[in-house]
Amino acid sequence: MARRLLALIMAFVATLSILGAATPALAQEYSTTYSNYLYLPAPVVPAFAVPGGTFNLYPKNGVQIESVTAVSVLHGPYNLQIVSKNDKSVTLKTPEDIAPDDYFLLIKTNNGTLVLPNGLKVFKEWPKTLKIAWVSDTHVTTGAKIGYVCGPYFQSSIYKLEELCSDPIPLHSVVATYSAYQYWAMNGATLLINTGDEVDTSGDVTGYQIVYNITKLASASGLPVVGIKGNHDDPPTVYTQILGPRYFYVTIGKFIIIGLDTGGDRGYPTMDEIEWMENVLNEHKGYIPIILYHHPYFFNPRWNYLGGVIKGLDPSTDWDQIKEYVGRYWGADPEVAKRFLEDVVKYNIPLTLSGHIHHDMYWLYIDKEGHKHYFLTLTSTGAPDKEPNPPANPRHSPTWYGSNLVVVTENGSVEMPYTPVKIENDKVRSDFISVPVPQEFMIFKHETSFGTTLKFINELNNSVSGPIVVPVPANAKVDPSVTNVTYKVIASREIAGKYYMLLNVTVPKGISQLVIDTGKDTEKPVVQIAYLQPSHPTPDSQFTVYFTAQDNLGIRSLYAVLYDSQGNPVKYAKVDRYPGEPVSGKPGNDFYIVELPGLKAGKYKLEIIAEDFYGNKAVVTKELAIGTSKPPATSSTPTSTTSSSGKSGICGPAFIVGLAVLPLLLRRRR
């Protein structure tokens, strides 16, 4: 019992020390907890303005706004004029010469200075068309939430994917979310909307901080982000501290975006919210409304799981016919459901966006006046625990990791230009409505005190070009000798104690990389095998190897190879290189697993190979005996045994014992 307790403490301390080293703190005079200062704007609800225009801050009780500065990596700083103050709001005016960009706001108050990324988007002029990049159900987690992808294929089990694919890619929810946000930042969307379940567990503070940082980098790249909470963000205690309010509205020219809270198990907004929404719409007549909520309104799997078209029915007179199409969550309160659809007709709401079901769904409701109202639902951007592709059940429709672009014009027309929808007999026949991002476009980012590296995997039919902001150490530069994307450095700047670099990059098809560092990396990675689970694998039974891997700049490639007693590579289905997978989404994670297929009785050699962005390689080996009554002693022969600093790396019996309890702390969710 004492040994088990000691191991638990060691693992916990090791994890804390790695996290502490990986996340540098801001200067003491700055705070990033918006909820201590403001109701709005918030990290996922920015303000919008034009040069010479005004916008409002809504401070918390007792907070006095003293000055506000807008700064981006490329532009500013600009001092914003305080036009007026009252008990509820502060009106600010932007300078006439402010450059269009997405700005950090540095808000000096009587309680300190708030750093608010994604605080203010300035347009050259109000857009007449909104190009909405749309993600949903990112389910960011600090645990092991891994899906496996290869081209169009998507599975929650690597063993199922290995039968179809020679090079399966483990895709963590953190990587998936970052990839989708940055892709749309590079592709010229007006803004990005996340329709809820930003994290997988509502109490995961680190998970919300990861979403915060992903949002910060996307907005710094020029893409403002608007988000709402989902049922996994409920109760919203941490959500409202770190990301944003439960419900809100923002205006962009003649567009108004309203975010509603459908709760946790409730699954629909309260009547109080509906009445609040009506008041907002009455105050903004002539605007084009876009409504966001997490649980889909229309959802009738019995009639058609993918959606359909409803024509000529009026909620005031034909509710008994309409309610058959309403989802079970909203349908649990017919008064709210009916009132909401009446509002859709009354205020001519052309578009509502939702998530939750982890599947693409398209409903077009045409009212008696012929006005079109689109009720669109998006697949998951980051969660691997729904129907795979190919589907587990042949009768089910497959899914994938996706996002989309929805275009709304000032006359209320709606289209999805990338994904035409096939409809027959008023039923949708399109399995995939969303774009395969991050399914086929992934960015693996590594940040250390030595530099920042990005590994791109682009399996789309074209190169991807656009702006990207990355955090870097002071005095870091792009190393062209190991960078094989086309790039141009636009600007570098320190903002509130952190350094950022803005680049314009072109990512070609295939695998490529961008390396920004303070010097050439000559250190090999450090790899050490911890243990097997089960410790003595039996013939024809799958097993898992737990190990650690770290590098001073980041590991580009991490995989295992098996050899039989004759030295021949062991192949399972189409795979002979088994990918290493992170056991955590936390920054600075050094713990990995590799899942291996069942082997016939006999002796084998396991190699784990780690290669960094400069081609430095480390190999660690372990002898395996499958099916013997007494396993032989094994030896581990790593190529590298020290960390890049020259000090002792991740090794030693105490650490390995601590690592051995990680499966108890980080249960893998399938």
Side-chain angles (χ1 to χ4, degrees), residues 228-284:
I228 62 168
K229 64 172 286 292
N231 60 297
H232 278 252
D233 303 305
D234 200 87
T237 306
V238 181
Y239 181 93
T240 53
Q241 288 175 351
I242 296 178
L243 293 186
R246 289 177 46 240
Y247 55 94
F248 60 88
Y249 77 91
V250 293
T251 60
I252 306 175
K254 285 299 181 182
F255 298 92
I256 182 167
I257 298 173
I258 298 177
L260 299 177
D261 176 17
T262 53
D265 295 333
R266 187 179 70 241
Y268 57 90
T270 64
M271 186 59 78
D272 286 344
E273 277 186 72
I274 297 297
E275 292 174 350
W276 168 83
M277 179 188 75
E278 292 169 349
N279 290 333
V280 170
L281 292 171
N282 284 325
E283 293 170 359
H284 294 82

Side-chain angles (χ1 to χ4, degrees), residues 155-165 388 390 392 542 572:
Q155 295 286 330
S156 58
S157 167
I158 193 170
Y159 298 112
K160 293 180 180 179
L161 189 59
E162 285 173 334
E163 298 171 359
L164 305 166
C165 173
Q542 299 162 354
Y572 173 73

Side-chain angles (χ1 to χ4, degrees), residues 348-427:
N348 196 19
I349 297 171
L351 175 65
T352 78
L353 300 176
S354 62
H356 186 64
I357 62 171
H358 296 197
H359 207 291
D360 297 320
M361 191 169 64
Y362 173 103
W363 289 86
L364 173 57
Y365 167 54
I366 305 174
D367 65 28
K368 284 190 172 182
E369 301 299 322
H371 298 131
K372 294 181 177 180
H373 312 277
Y374 293 85
F375 291 73
L376 306 180
T377 302
L378 188 68
T379 183
S380 170
T381 304
D385 56 356
K386 292 296 180 182
E387 194 64 39
N389 179 31
N393 187 325
R395 295 176 299 174
H396 292 176
S397 179
T399 190
W400 57 7
Y401 289 105
S403 55
N404 214 333
L405 187 75
V406 183
V407 179
V408 187
T409 67
E410 62 179 0
N411 64 8
S413 67
V414 177
E415 67 170 334
M416 292 183 288
Y418 289 108
T419 52
V421 180
K422 184 179 180 182
I423 298 176
E424 295 176 355
N425 299 322
D426 290 338
K427 294 183 178 181

Side-chain angles (χ1 to χ4, degrees), residues 85-106:
K85 295 182 180 180
N86 59 40
D87 293 340
K88 294 183 178 180
S89 67
V90 176
T91 301
L92 299 166
K93 182 179 180 180
T94 61
E96 297 285 349
D97 62 347
I98 191 171
D101 205 342
D102 199 313
Y103 288 93
F104 290 73
L105 291 180
L106 306 181

Side-chain angles (χ1 to χ4, degrees), residues 19-300:
L19 285 175
T23 310
L26 288 173
Q28 287 185 353
E29 63 267 27
Y30 295 122
S31 171
T32 59
T33 307
Y34 96 97
S35 60
N36 290 340
Y37 298 83
L38 302 175
Y39 294 104
L40 285 174
V44 297
V45 188
F48 296 90
V50 294
T54 61
F55 67 96
N56 289 337
L57 297 182
Y58 297 89
K60 291 288 183 72
N61 292 335
V63 175
Q64 300 296 322
I65 306 298
E66 297 176 359
S67 65
V68 180
T69 301
V71 61
S72 73
V73 180
L74 182 57
H75 296 110
Y78 299 97
N79 294 320
L80 306 184
Q81 178 187 353
I82 297 178
V83 176
S84 63
K85 295 182 180 180
N86 59 40
D87 293 340
K88 294 183 178 180
S89 67
V90 176
T91 301
L92 299 166
K93 182 179 180 180
T94 61
E96 297 285 349
D97 62 347
I98 191 171
D101 205 342
D102 199 313
Y103 288 93
F104 290 73
L105 291 180
L106 306 181
I107 305 170
K108 186 177 179 180
T109 77
N110 58 324
N111 295 331
T113 299
L114 171 66
V115 180
L116 184 62
N118 193 42
L120 173 66
K121 172 66 177 182
V122 177
F123 296 99
K124 181 179 180 180
E125 58 185 12
W126 290 121
K128 298 182 183 303
T129 298
L130 292 187
K131 297 179 180 179
I132 300 172
W134 179 23
V135 302
S136 191
D137 295 84
T138 47
H139 285 271
V140 166
T141 177
T142 49
K145 193 143 192 163
I146 298 287
Y148 304 90
V149 300
C150 185
Y153 299 125
F154 158 64
Q155 295 286 330
S156 58
S157 167
I158 193 170
Y159 298 112
K160 293 180 180 179
L161 189 59
E162 285 173 334
E163 298 171 359
L164 305 166
C165 173
S166 61
D167 192 19
I169 302 169
L171 187 56
H172 194 280
S173 58
V174 173
V175 176
T177 303
Y178 174 70
S179 302
Y181 277 56
Q182 286 297 156
Y183 173 86
W184 292 109
M186 296 170 68
N187 275 269
T190 313
L191 75 159
L192 181 142
I193 284 174
N194 188 325
T195 46
D197 281 1
E198 276 94 333
V199 303
D200 198 49
T201 306
S202 65
D204 189 348
V205 175
T206 303
Y208 281 110
Q209 291 170 340
I210 291 170
V211 174
Y212 174 95
N213 286 321
I214 290 173
T215 300
K216 175 177 66 175
L217 295 178
S219 62
S221 302
L223 181 67
V225 175
V226 174
I228 62 168
K229 64 172 286 292
N231 60 297
H232 278 252
D233 303 305
D234 200 87
T237 306
V238 181
Y239 181 93
T240 53
Q241 288 175 351
I242 296 178
L243 293 186
R246 289 177 46 240
Y247 55 94
F248 60 88
Y249 77 91
V250 293
T251 60
I252 306 175
K254 285 299 181 182
F255 298 92
I256 182 167
I257 298 173
I258 298 177
L260 299 177
D261 176 17
T262 53
D265 295 333
R266 187 179 70 241
Y268 57 90
T270 64
M271 186 59 78
D272 286 344
E273 277 186 72
I274 297 297
E275 292 174 350
W276 168 83
M277 179 188 75
E278 292 169 349
N279 290 333
V280 170
L281 292 171
N282 284 325
E283 293 170 359
H284 294 82
K285 292 179 179 178
Y287 285 70
I288 302 298
I290 299 165
I291 313 298
L292 316 177
Y293 47 85
H294 184 63
H295 297 78
Y297 182 85
F298 287 122
F299 185 30
N300 186 342

